[in-house]
Amino acid sequence: MVTRINGFSGMDIDSMVKSMMATKRVPLEKLNQEKQILQWTREGYRELNSVLYDFRTNKLNDKYKKSEALNSNKAVTTGNTNAVKADATATATGVDMKVSVTKLATTTTLSTPGLGQGVPSTTSLAQLDGVALSELSEEEEAAYLKKGFDITINGVSFKDSAGNSLFNGLTSISSMIATINANEKANAIASYDEITGKLSIASKVGGDAGKVEVVTPAGSNSLIALFSKKTVVETNGAGGAVTNDKTLADLQKLLDGKDPEPGAPVKRYNFSINGQNFSFDASTTIDSVLSAINAKPDVNVTATVVAGKLTITGDSGGEVKMGGASYEFLNLFKGAVPFTEGANAIKEVIKGENAEVSINGEPIKNVTSNVFTINGVQLTLLDVTNSSGTDIPTNIKTQSDPDKALESIKGFIDDYNNLIKALNSKINETRYRDFKPLSDDQKKEMKEGEIDSWTEKAKSGLFKNNDIITSVLSKMREAITEKLGSLNAIGITTGNYMENGKLVIADESKLKKAISANPQLAIDLFQGPANGSGSGIFNKMTSSITGALDMISARAGTNKFSMDLTSTFKEESVMGKQLKGFNSRILVMQRNLQMTEDRYYKQFAAMEASMSKLQTQSSSLMSSLGLS
């Protein structure tokens, strides 16, 4: 930085430099103004994105396109109203129905005996397997996690592309349930009951056609077996040559295939059985380990080693629950034998059955679900109608109720009109080209009210005749125009030319009568017929707005999946790249201006130094001539 001097000449150098730099700063100010306009425009696009997303998602998709929005039919139940729930669809035929239910539909379900209470769904599979991962070495943990727990449901094997199980010791019960349920090909629904500790897997297909086939590949660790109490833990065996007078150190050496490292600390093996803790150092013999386990009170197991195989059996068929670093201890005997559901008969299967229903005395065939539609009425079976010993059927009548559909249509028209009014105001807004964004120096010379007024005019008209807005307006208007004849027939028309496509209910009584006389007409017109997907007004508007949101996102970097006005912009959009260009040019220009300003100060400093030297020489000369 140049040292700035105001001195000997008496000149106000700062003011002079500032005046000289004022002209040179004009291009920078214009560049900052262009950048500010671009930022305002991008923020305006985010507001536009929010408005269009709200109309498409929250109004069209989540409200008006729902089947019940324009359904003018209503089911009225009498009699045994606790047994059957009825919801009339728009295609209800108006047939009165007397429904009798003698059996509800059930699904084929496999379930485990359960682990009892106290095992929340957040429990990891390692914890169910009696392994504390935190107490294992990195190598042991990696080896344990690699084995995983296998399951195949209805022919679908839950493995990744490398052939590894999707479920390992780190997987929680809740995560496992979610993974199974997310697989559509498995065609099954898994659930876990924290009250009983039972894992259940049910067919998605109800009735006697449903199936649940669960298989664990031979030699694999069964996932489903984790949800049954183990009565025996058996190891693969360290070898027949291992006698019970060998120490744990001998087993570790046999396992590792080498002697322990010289000077290594004496290893200890810590684990628990049925909540009772055990700790042995490497010098302990197998016999001593067995004696300690069998003699400890409240463990209720019998441990034996025969021909190098360790077996821990629950007394009187009781549970054997390993814990702590049991994986490390059992590994000395070449690990536990995989626990499979087939070998231990831990699963029970309840076969699904069809519902038994008769309507107006006629048995209904193949009712595989407790929810089905007949005569245009969706029936939900809740209970049998003969629970008291005498059949008390549910009576169902359908009635026309056009008010709900009418309110939906009126609501759509209001929302649509508000949208096009807002969009039209943007493209018709006046552009004040003489009002540029204010610089900080300019704002210092103005009052707050004046700044706000100026800024409002500077922002005005940024979207005048905007191509994206005019395009989406045109396409939505086209969707209306294509159906204008049908709309006029039910009492809906458009406003005058100056109202830019506004919809108007010209005759509400005519609209209500049309809905009552032909409920399907309004549905086909707005939502589209069942065999003509995408042909309804709502569908076409949705498509048009989605296209506009894509264009806005590409141009401004907005989040087309959100209406959040604080969401960050994607920098790789068109406007994001333009802003990067502005920032780069502004930085270069600021550096050049700083160099120019420094050069001016250097020149003035040199001038001051020369004038000072001249003044000194002049004083000396006058003194020598005796003129001072």
Side-chain angles (χ1 to χ4, degrees):
M1 185 68 182
V2 176
T3 301
R4 301 180 176 185
I5 304 173
N6 279 319
F8 311 108
S9 64
M11 294 185 293
D12 186 351
I13 294 175
D14 283 338
S15 295
M16 295 176 66
V17 171
K18 183 177 180 180
S19 177
M20 295 169 69
M21 291 297 298
T23 302
K24 294 187 176 295
R25 290 188 186 278
V26 171
L28 177 61
E29 291 176 0
K30 288 183 177 179
L31 205 59
N32 277 319
Q33 287 174 337
E34 291 176 16
K35 176 187 173 182
Q36 180 63 77
I37 289 173
L38 185 64
Q39 288 176 321
W40 283 342
T41 305
R42 187 164 70 157
E43 289 166 2
Y45 271 122
R46 184 163 59 184
E47 294 173 3
L48 178 61
N49 182 96
S50 178
V51 169
L52 290 175
Y53 178 90
D54 177 53
F55 182 74
R56 183 200 65 178
T57 304
N58 298 333
K59 295 183 172 64
L60 285 179
N61 290 347
D62 293 347
K63 189 175 180 182
Y64 302 122
K65 286 172 71 175
K66 296 288 186 181
S67 59
E68 62 269 18
L70 297 179
N71 180 17
S72 62
N73 289 324
K74 179 173 68 174
V76 180
T77 60
T78 57
N80 195 340
T81 56
N82 294 323
V84 181
K85 177 186 174 186
D87 294 293
T89 69
T91 58
T93 60
V95 175
D96 293 347
M97 293 185 286
K98 183 179 290 186
V99 182
S100 294
V101 183
T102 54
K103 183 190 291 185
L104 295 177
T106 58
T107 56
T108 299
T109 305
L110 174 152
S111 61
T112 65
L115 302 169
Q117 292 187 32
V119 184
S121 61
T122 54
T123 304
S124 70
L125 299 186
Q127 290 172 295
L128 290 185
D129 198 30
V131 176
L133 295 176
S134 61
E135 297 186 27
L136 300 182
S137 66
E138 289 185 11
E139 294 78 10
E140 290 168 336
E141 181 179 347
Y144 176 76
L145 294 177
K146 186 177 181 180
K147 71 174 188 175
F149 299 96
D150 294 318
I151 190 169
T152 298
I153 303 175
N154 292 334
V156 176
S157 181
F158 286 81
K159 293 181 179 291
D160 60 21
S161 58
N164 299 316
S165 174
L166 295 177
F167 310 118
N168 61 29
L170 292 173
T171 309
S172 68
I173 296 174
S174 58
S175 177
M176 175 203 73
I177 295 293
T179 302
I180 293 174
N181 293 343
N183 192 306
E184 294 183 1
K185 293 182 179 179
N187 206 26
I189 299 174
S191 59
Y192 175 71
D193 184 359
E194 292 185 345
I195 299 172
T196 61
K198 282 188 177 184
L199 171 68
S200 298
I201 301 176
S203 171
K204 283 185 180 178
V205 178
D208 55 21
K211 69 173 184 176
V212 178
E213 295 179 355
V214 174
V215 179
T216 299
S220 299
N221 291 285
S222 167
L223 172 68
I224 203 168
L226 292 175
F227 295 86
S228 179
K229 296 178 180 179
K230 295 181 182 179
T231 59
V232 179
V233 172
E234 184 181 9
T235 63
N236 291 295
V242 175
T243 55
N244 289 6
D245 59 349
K246 296 294 185 182
T247 66
L248 299 184
D250 294 328
L251 293 178
Q252 188 69 56
K253 179 180 177 181
L254 186 64
L255 181 67
D256 296 339
K258 62 180 181 179
D259 291 322
E261 295 292 332
V266 176
K267 190 170 180 63
R268 294 196 70 84
Y269 299 87
N270 304 299
F271 59 93
S272 67
I273 304 176
N274 292 341
Q276 301 299 310
N277 296 319
F278 296 91
S279 180
F280 304 104
D281 65 36
S283 64
T284 309
T285 65
I286 295 174
D287 264 335
S288 297
V289 171
L290 296 177
S291 297
I293 293 174
N294 293 332
K296 193 157 188 175
D298 300 325
V299 179
N300 300 322
V301 299
T302 299
T304 60
V305 174
V306 178
K309 289 186 176 183
L310 169 66
T311 302
I312 304 173
T313 307
D315 294 344
S316 302
E319 185 177 12
V320 179
K321 190 172 184 180
M322 304 294 293
S326 61
Y327 178 75
E328 181 181 41
F329 171 67
L330 296 175
N331 227 22
L332 294 175
F333 299 89
K334 299 296 179 67
V337 174
F339 186 42
T340 63
E341 69 277 0
N344 295 276
I346 67 163
K347 65 182 180 184
E348 55 181 347
V349 177
I350 299 174
K351 182 64 177 174
E353 296 182 332
N354 290 349
E356 293 181 359
V357 186
S358 63
I359 299 178
N360 296 338
E362 186 71 22
I364 306 300
K365 300 177 181 179
N366 301 319
V367 181
T368 60
S369 171
N370 289 318
V371 180
F372 64 99
T373 300
I374 192 164
N375 285 333
V377 178
Q378 179 178 283
L379 302 180
T380 302
L381 309 184
L382 305 173
D383 199 356
V384 296
T385 56
N386 62 346
S387 58
S388 64
T390 302
D391 185 47
I392 304 175
T394 303
N395 302 309
I396 301 170
K397 291 180 177 289
T398 55
Q399 297 177 352
S400 178
D401 181 19
D403 289 339
K404 184 177 180 181
L406 178 63
E407 289 305 311
S408 292
I409 293 172
K410 289 168 67 176
F412 160 71
I413 290 174
D414 287 341
D415 288 332
Y416 171 73
N417 288 341
N418 288 335
L419 175 67
I420 64 170
K421 180 180 179 181
L423 296 181
N424 279 311
S425 69
K426 285 291 185 183
I427 59 174
N428 294 322
E429 197 172 44
T430 303
R431 184 81 176 101
Y432 298 95
R433 299 189 179 278
D434 293 336
F435 287 80
K436 304 292 184 183
L438 296 170
S439 66
D440 291 338
D441 289 339
Q442 288 173 323
K443 289 179 181 178
K444 291 177 183 178
E445 305 297 325
M446 301 171 68
K447 296 178 181 179
E448 185 175 348
E450 293 173 333
I451 295 172
D452 293 341
S453 177
W454 184 287
T455 302
E456 184 179 346
K457 283 186 168 61
K459 288 183 176 182
S460 177
L462 293 179
F463 289 89
K464 188 173 182 64
N465 298 323
N466 180 271
D467 59 324
I468 296 178
I469 299 178
T470 54
S471 174
V472 73
L473 278 171
S474 175
K475 289 178 180 178
M476 288 195 296
R477 200 172 296 140
E478 184 179 326
I480 296 293
T481 304
E482 287 178 354
K483 308 286 185 179
L484 196 55
S486 299
L487 288 170
N488 286 335
I490 62 173
I492 299 174
T493 185
T494 56
N496 60 49
Y497 175 78
M498 297 299 294
E499 291 178 303
N500 298 307
K502 178 181 177 181
L503 282 174
V504 177
I505 297 178
D507 190 338
E508 185 172 322
S509 62
K510 183 178 181 180
L511 175 58
K512 190 171 182 177
K513 287 178 182 178
I515 295 172
S516 297
N518 187 357
Q520 194 62 39
L521 177 64
I523 292 174
D524 291 349
L525 182 58
F526 288 100
Q527 295 177 339
N531 60 351
S533 178
S535 64
I537 291 174
F538 295 162
N539 301 91
K540 291 194 172 185
M541 285 190 176
T542 297
S543 178
S544 300
I545 293 172
T546 297
L549 289 171
D550 289 339
M551 294 172 66
I552 293 170
S553 179
R555 182 176 298 181
T558 55
N559 183 354
K560 60 184 178 181
F561 303 109
S562 171
M563 58 182 293
D564 184 6
L565 291 174
T566 62
S567 60
T568 56
F569 295 101
K570 297 173 185 175
E571 296 306 319
E572 293 308 308
S573 62
V574 173
M575 298 181 81
K577 292 176 180 178
Q578 289 176 333
L579 281 171
K580 285 182 181 179
F582 273 121
N583 290 334
S584 178
R585 291 164 60 193
I586 288 171
L587 183 61
V588 171
M589 194 171 290
Q590 286 174 333
R591 288 174 179 170
N592 290 338
L593 287 171
Q594 187 63 55
M595 290 170 62
T596 300
E597 187 178 60
D598 289 345
R599 188 177 74 250
Y600 284 155
Y601 274 108
K602 283 182 181 179
Q603 291 172 342
F604 276 112
M607 182 189 71
E608 288 283 356
S610 297
M611 292 179 67
S612 176
K613 184 177 180 181
L614 179 61
Q615 185 177 21
T616 301
Q617 291 174 344
S618 175
S619 297
S620 177
L621 179 60
M622 296 293 286
S623 178
S624 63
L625 296 174
L627 299 175
S628 57

